[in-house]
Amino acid sequence: MSSVLSKVAVVGSGISGAACAWSLARNGVSVTLFESARGPGGRMSQRREIAEDGRELHFDHGAPYFTVNSPEVLSLVREWESKKICAEWKEGFDIFDCFSNQFTSTEQERVSGRYVGTPGMNSICKALCHEPGVESKFGVSVGRMEWLEKDNSWLLLGIDGQSLGQFEGIVASDKNIVSPRFTSVTGRVPPLDLSLVPDLAIKLQNIPVIPCFALMLAFEQPLSMIPVKGFFIKNSEVLSWAYCDSSKPGRSTACERWVLHSTKEYAERVIAEYGLQKPSDAMLKKVAEELYQELQSVGLCTPRPFFMKAHRWGSAFPAASIAGEEKCLWDESKRVAICGDFCVSPNIEGAILSGLAAASKFQKIVSYL
């Protein structure tokens, strides 16, 4: 095994890439994980903010929780619970109807089995990225992936052109690594040249995504006028749901923190006006005020928060699944795996299953040696 498949590079430390790296390492493959951000998590990342008075605030501003249907993922969740990096969030969710200005509950919204990372959503990714056998390099952007025909291996280069190492296989766990949409956001071409894997390129041509704005709010006192800690919002053109982040297990309760998500229609309107380039502070401030005012206008008259900030998720939420039963995209000749929630289902469980499937492709190579 060591002579043919000794080193694999995983690019992206969201839950899909982290699960893939963890699985590979547990099966004896040396893994180097590259992440352009300062820490792991992707859509499961936890945002650290500092209020004007110096208080440190933390928000799960992407995926607020995840559910589990697969026995394979449930087994992992039980392991994570035993390690205190995951817990069930037992608060019920309601629906708020903006036409009637009332909360309505259904059995579906009050189901159990909503899980969160503890003390933050990114805690699970952190643990997986520090599995023995995984070398994680944060703050490192991969600028180009070159196929070395002579060596039958991959050379990864940073955005400055410096070598990041040579690998027998690569895993792309972030759709921006392979999507032309990456160019419109960063101004750089995607690191992976899809002409090297033409069969995969066909499936990756158009990955529809749903944009979203998240609004992070912090209040001095609990919002007593809201009877639940999470609710979906009907009949609003601006807001889709809201949840009390500080009500999750393992979170600080020094103040009450809420996260609101916009509708995709609202986010698309803003992006159509301002583009996909990095949003300006002025634009985010305008969005934050509009989302907050929508909460006020539907009758949920909350006190003014002492902290309010918006974040744009330009392409984090996929709207399609492209890999079918394989759960990932795989090119055996060049040992390239592409995984993510866009391969299975647009949620955390789908991302985990895709990452595990990608790892299994490399493990099958090893088993044949």
Side-chain angles (χ1 to χ4, degrees):
M1 177 182 70
S2 60
S3 62
V4 180
L5 187 64
S6 59
K7 294 176 65 179
V8 172
V10 176
V11 185
S13 71
I15 189 62
S16 185
C20 181
W22 167 85
S23 182
L24 285 170
R26 281 209 167 181
N27 284 276
V29 178
S30 177
V31 180
T32 303
L33 184 146
F34 297 97
E35 171 57 59
S36 59
R38 291 174 294 179
R43 192 155 38 101
M44 288 178 69
S45 60
Q46 187 179 66
R47 186 75 171 242
R48 175 181 175 270
E49 296 285 353
I50 303 296
E52 288 185 359
D53 60 6
R55 274 183 284 183
E56 185 174 291
L57 306 170
H58 293 92
F59 298 89
D60 294 331
H61 64 316
Y65 64 86
F66 64 98
T67 58
V68 179
N69 294 298
S70 159
E72 185 178 12
V73 177
L74 185 59
S75 176
L76 287 177
V77 168
R78 296 294 176 245
E79 180 180 337
W80 298 338
E81 285 180 314
S82 70
K83 294 179 178 179
K84 310 298 184 185
I85 59 172
C86 178
E88 185 177 354
W89 186 24
K90 297 183 179 179
E91 296 287 348
F93 271 43
D94 271 2
I95 293 175
F96 183 82
D97 190 333
C98 295
F99 284 171
S100 64
N101 286 357
Q102 291 183 342
F103 284 97
T104 60
S105 62
T106 68
E107 186 176 348
Q108 182 179 1
E109 275 68 55
R110 293 209 174 267
V111 296
S112 61
R114 291 187 174 95
Y115 296 95
V116 299
T118 53
M121 284 297 287
N122 61 351
S123 299
I124 298 170
C125 294
K126 281 183 178 179
L128 297 178
C129 289
H130 290 92
E131 176 76 14
V134 178
E135 180 185 8
S136 293
K137 297 187 176 183
F138 299 108
V140 178
S141 297
V142 176
R144 196 161 77 252
M145 302 173 179
E146 293 186 355
W147 173 247
L148 306 178
E149 194 73 44
K150 179 181 176 182
D151 297 331
N152 196 32
S153 65
W154 289 90
L155 173 66
L156 267 61
L157 302 170
I159 55 175
D160 57 1
Q162 294 296 309
S163 172
L164 299 175
Q166 201 165 324
F167 302 89
E168 281 71 49
I170 56 173
V171 179
S173 68
D174 184 338
K175 55 186 166 295
N176 286 332
I177 297 167
V178 297
S179 172
R181 192 179 180 91
F182 184 79
T183 305
S184 63
V185 177
T186 66
R188 302 192 301 270
V189 297
L192 179 60
D193 180 359
L194 291 179
S195 68
L196 297 170
V197 286
D199 290 344
L200 306 189
I202 295 172
K203 297 181 179 180
L204 287 163
Q205 281 180 343
N206 292 297
I207 304 174
V209 293
I210 298 173
C212 172
F213 282 93
L215 177 62
M216 298 166 281
L217 302 171
F219 300 90
E220 295 288 2
Q221 300 296 329
L223 303 186
S224 57
M225 75 292 296
I226 299 179
V228 291
K229 298 302 182 184
F231 55 97
F232 304 100
I233 302 172
K234 288 177 60 177
N235 298 316
S236 169
E237 295 181 356
V238 177
L239 292 175
S240 62
W241 63 337
Y243 53 92
C244 180
D245 206 44
S246 53
S247 70
K248 297 177 183 177
R251 272 60 172 181
S252 167
T253 56
C255 63
E256 186 154 295
R257 297 177 306 285
W258 282 75
V259 177
L260 280 57
H261 281 200
S262 76
T263 61
K264 75 180 183 68
E265 292 81 10
Y266 172 83
E268 286 170 348
R269 287 200 304 272
V270 175
I271 290 172
E273 180 179 354
Y274 291 94
L276 265 175
Q277 291 75 23
K278 183 179 179 180
S280 67
D281 291 342
M283 186 267 271
L284 289 176
K285 187 174 182 180
K286 178 175 181 288
V287 167
E289 192 63 40
E290 288 176 352
L291 296 180
Y292 176 69
Q293 288 303 321
E294 177 72 1
L295 187 69
Q296 299 284 80
S297 69
V298 298
L300 298 175
C301 297
T302 63
R304 188 75 182 177
F306 69 84
F307 177 86
M308 181 168 70
K309 189 173 184 178
H311 172 82
R312 187 194 70 190
W313 293 103
S315 59
F317 302 87
S321 304
I322 64 173
E325 293 183 0
E326 290 296 310
K327 300 179 182 176
C328 69
L329 302 183
W330 172 243
D331 185 295
E332 186 170 352
S333 65
K334 290 187 172 63
R335 297 183 295 279
V336 176
I338 297 173
C339 61
D341 53 3
F342 57 94
C343 289
V344 180
S345 56
N347 51 46
I348 290 173
E349 183 178 29
I352 295 171
L353 288 170
S354 185
L356 297 178
S360 73
K361 298 296 185 183
F362 290 98
Q363 291 155 18
K364 285 178 182 178
I365 293 178
V366 172
S367 68
Y368 293 152
L369 302 179

